[in-house]
């Protein structure tokens, strides 16, 4: 078992203020695989004080962008050397299939570090513009102390969408990992020490909701960067609004995959399996609404059902596994509640249902519903599990209408033999990210959503902007 007795604050491993602990439980075995301190409000006070000291008086914000980029590059090199270890650790703590951990859980955070290291090498802090009475300097400065609050589903991915650009900007950070997945953050702290990032620039305090709210509302925090549920995002936005504190929110999704009549189903299903079932369905960008025309509806339902049943369900540490367990018993029960709701509303279970694949572990049967209308709960609410709803449409305009008929606007896809036409469809769907015959995220492009899917963008140059304040200096002569 992985045992940690300290917190990472001010560049040191320090004794926590309280005696509470967080047990990390394997979703596969239901056994305790790790234990860390349960951070308190007092621990958050110490972490914010360390970040505040490092920002107000330390060297990090006063270095050039190129100097900080070089340090981020060192961190990236260390991360690369340990990415297999990171992938295995995330699989152990939250049940992500090892193939997905090796594909995304560790490599994508690495790509973010690499992008910002390269982008920052030539980034200019000041820009000169002509003014009416003389030159004007536009200066970019770090926003200050950042509270990064992250969920459990892709813990390093969401952490790094905040840490990498914040570091390049010159901010200092307090990271609050989710109680379900704190172990990977300890490995990250080891890398930060090895890379020589100054004390207090990154502080890590695993904790629950109460200590997390203390961090968010702390007067010493200049910006909150949050990824999680829309309900929690609304609460955080209200706190930040009262304090006029900067905030970025990456929230939920209920993304639609539009299957056009010219799509080649056999070739589409391989990529759609990744897009819809990634990380056991525990992904905010998962394509869980699959829209099929009435002309090919039965054919698409059959193809989707075959795609789902072809994914082996089992031990997430086995490279042959396609779908592993959900992160916690409460999540298992929540997803089963949605399956029951779909049945109660009249949708037809094509594969899956309420019979659990295993007696031990927090598994649910991957489920496909047919006969779904877009007003059903399983079509409107984020389930966060391997549950897909196949919804019929009349024509392409109707498909776009259904895709847009959602409180969310995070992601989406279209599947077609004509990629140019697919681009036309993509331009009509109101989401922050989209794919034609695929779904992927790139470190150099913005990620975020419309509507209830959040506020702001992460990744790419746009992600850096969220950690900068812009100052205009006009002068005569």
């Amino acid at each position: 078992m992985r045992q940690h007795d300290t917190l990472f604050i001010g560049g040191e491993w320090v004794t926590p203020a309280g005696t509470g602990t967080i047990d990390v439980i394997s979703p596969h075995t239901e056994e305790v695989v790790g234990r860390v301190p349960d951070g308190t409000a007092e621990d958050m006070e110490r972490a914010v004080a360390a970040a505040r000291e490092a920002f107000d008086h330390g060297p990090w914000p006063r270095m050039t962008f190129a100097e900080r980029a070089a340090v981020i590059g060192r961190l990236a090199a260390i991360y690369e050397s340990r990415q297999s270890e990171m992938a295995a650790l995330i699989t152990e703590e939250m049940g992500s299939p090892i193939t997905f951990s090796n594909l995304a859980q560790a490599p994508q955070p690495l790509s973010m570090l690499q992008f910002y290291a390269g982008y920052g090498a030539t980034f200019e802090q000041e820009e000169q513009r002509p003014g009416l009475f003389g030159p004007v300097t536009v200066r970019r400065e770090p926003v200050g102390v950042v509270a990064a609050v992250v969920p459990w589903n892709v813990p390093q991915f969401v952490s790094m969408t905040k840490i990498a650009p914040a570091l390049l900007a010159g901010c200092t950070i307090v990271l609050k990992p989710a109680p379900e997945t704190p172990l990977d953050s300890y490995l990250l702290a080891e890398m930060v020490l090895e890379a020589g990032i100054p004390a207090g620039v990154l502080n890590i305090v695993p904790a629950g909701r109460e200590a997390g709210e203390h961090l968010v509302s702390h007067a010493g925090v200049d910006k909150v960067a949050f990824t999680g549920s829309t309900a929690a995002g609304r609460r955080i936005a209200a706190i930040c609004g009262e304090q006029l504190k900067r905030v970025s929110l990456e929230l939920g999704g209920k993304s639609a995959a539009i299957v056009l009549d010219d799509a080649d189903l056999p070739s589409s299903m391989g990529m759609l399996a990744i897009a819809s079932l990634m990380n056991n369905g525990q992904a905010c960008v998962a394509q869980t609404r699959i829209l099929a025309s009435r002309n090919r509806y039965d054919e698409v339902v059959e193809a989707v059902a075959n795609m789902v049943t072809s994914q082996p369900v089992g031990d997430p540490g086995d490279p042959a596994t396609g779908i592993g367990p959900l992160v916690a018993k409460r999540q298992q029960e929540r997803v089963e509640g949605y399956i029951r709701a779909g049945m109660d509303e009249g949708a037809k279970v094509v594969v899956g249902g309420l019979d659990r694949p295993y007696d031990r572990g927090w598994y649910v049967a991957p489920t496909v519903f047919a006969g779904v209308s877009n007003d059903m709960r399983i079509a409107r609410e984020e389930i966060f599990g391997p549950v897909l709803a196949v919804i019929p449409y009349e024509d392409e305009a109707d498909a776009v209408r259904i895709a847009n008929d959602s409180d969310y606007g995070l992601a989406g896809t279209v599947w077609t033999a004509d990629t140019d036409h697919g681009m036309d469809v993509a331009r009509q769907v109101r989401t922050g990210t989209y794919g034609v015959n695929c779904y992927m995220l790139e470190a150099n492009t913005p990620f975020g959503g419309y509507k209830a899917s959040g506020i702001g963008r992460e990744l790419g140059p746009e992600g850096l902007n969220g950690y900068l304040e812009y100052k205009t200096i006009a002068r005569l002569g």
Side-chain angles (χ1 to χ4, degrees), residues 20-335:
T21 58
I22 297 171
D23 284 345
V24 182
I25 303 175
S26 164
H28 173 57
T29 66
E30 301 186 34
E31 297 173 353
V32 177
V33 295
R35 183 170 292 127
V36 303
D38 187 2
T40 64
E42 185 177 343
D43 294 316
M44 291 301 182
E45 289 284 344
R46 296 163 67 194
V48 173
R52 191 80 259 167
E53 174 67 22
F55 184 79
D56 292 340
H57 305 292
W60 191 252
R62 291 152 190 87
M63 296 166 64
T64 66
F65 278 87
E67 288 170 337
R68 289 193 294 265
V71 179
I72 295 170
R74 288 203 303 270
L75 177 59
I78 296 165
Y79 203 106
E80 185 171 21
S81 71
R82 304 187 72 176
Q83 67 173 323
S84 295
E85 181 183 357
M86 180 66 80
L89 180 56
I90 293 173
T91 288
E92 181 181 17
E93 67 181 343
M94 64 75 56
S96 184
I98 189 62
T99 49
F100 184 75
S101 289
N102 285 324
L103 175 70
Q105 293 276 23
Q108 288 205 334
L110 170 61
S111 70
M112 296 174 207
L113 287 170
Q114 292 171 332
F115 168 74
Y116 285 108
Y119 184 66
T122 58
F123 190 82
E124 295 293 337
Q125 183 161 10
E126 295 185 351
E127 172 191 346
Q128 307 302 319
R129 300 182 189 177
L132 285 175
F133 302 107
V136 177
T137 297
V138 178
R139 178 176 171 82
R140 302 168 180 90
E141 298 180 351
V143 72
V145 173
V146 173
V149 181
V150 302
W152 45 260
N153 61 323
V154 278
Q156 279 293 296
F157 176 93
V158 290
S159 295
M160 206 58 72
T161 61
K162 297 150 183 53
I163 291 171
L167 287 177
L168 180 58
C171 298
T172 59
I173 307 152
V174 178
L175 173 68
K176 191 202 84 66
E180 295 83 358
T181 54
L183 299 177
D184 59 277
S185 66
Y186 280 81
L187 179 54
L188 176 62
E190 293 176 12
M191 300 182 200
V192 166
L193 281 172
E194 186 178 349
I197 293 176
V201 171
L202 177 61
N203 309 272
I204 301 174
V205 182
R209 181 176 299 177
E210 185 175 335
E213 185 158 324
H214 186 83
L215 171 63
V216 166
S217 59
H218 198 292
V221 169
D222 300 297
K223 172 178 174 162
V224 176
F226 172 76
T227 296
S229 72
T230 298
R234 287 192 174 100
R235 171 63 180 159
I236 289 171
I239 293 171
C240 293
E242 289 175 0
Q243 300 180 358
L244 296 180
K245 183 180 295 184
R246 277 74 176 135
V247 63
S248 57
L249 304 171
E250 194 273 288
L251 307 176
K254 193 66 180 178
S255 303
I258 300 175
V259 182
L260 296 183
D261 279 347
D262 65 350
D264 180 70
L265 294 183
S267 63
S268 297
M269 287 300 118
M271 289 298 292
L272 185 57
I274 299 172
S276 61
L277 296 171
M278 68 176 82
N279 204 30
N280 311 330
Q282 298 170 129
C284 54
V285 297
Q287 311 291 295
T288 55
R289 289 187 298 153
I290 298 174
L291 312 188
S293 78
R294 294 196 183 277
N295 295 334
R296 298 188 71 185
Y297 185 77
D298 291 342
E299 186 182 355
V300 172
V301 168
E302 181 180 6
V304 171
N306 290 337
M307 176 265 286
V308 169
T309 56
S310 71
Q311 304 296 311
V313 179
D315 182 355
D318 184 346
T321 293
I323 299 175
L326 301 184
V327 72
K329 184 173 181 60
R330 71 172 193 283
Q331 190 69 11
Q332 179 191 49
E333 293 172 347
R334 180 177 186 271
V335 172

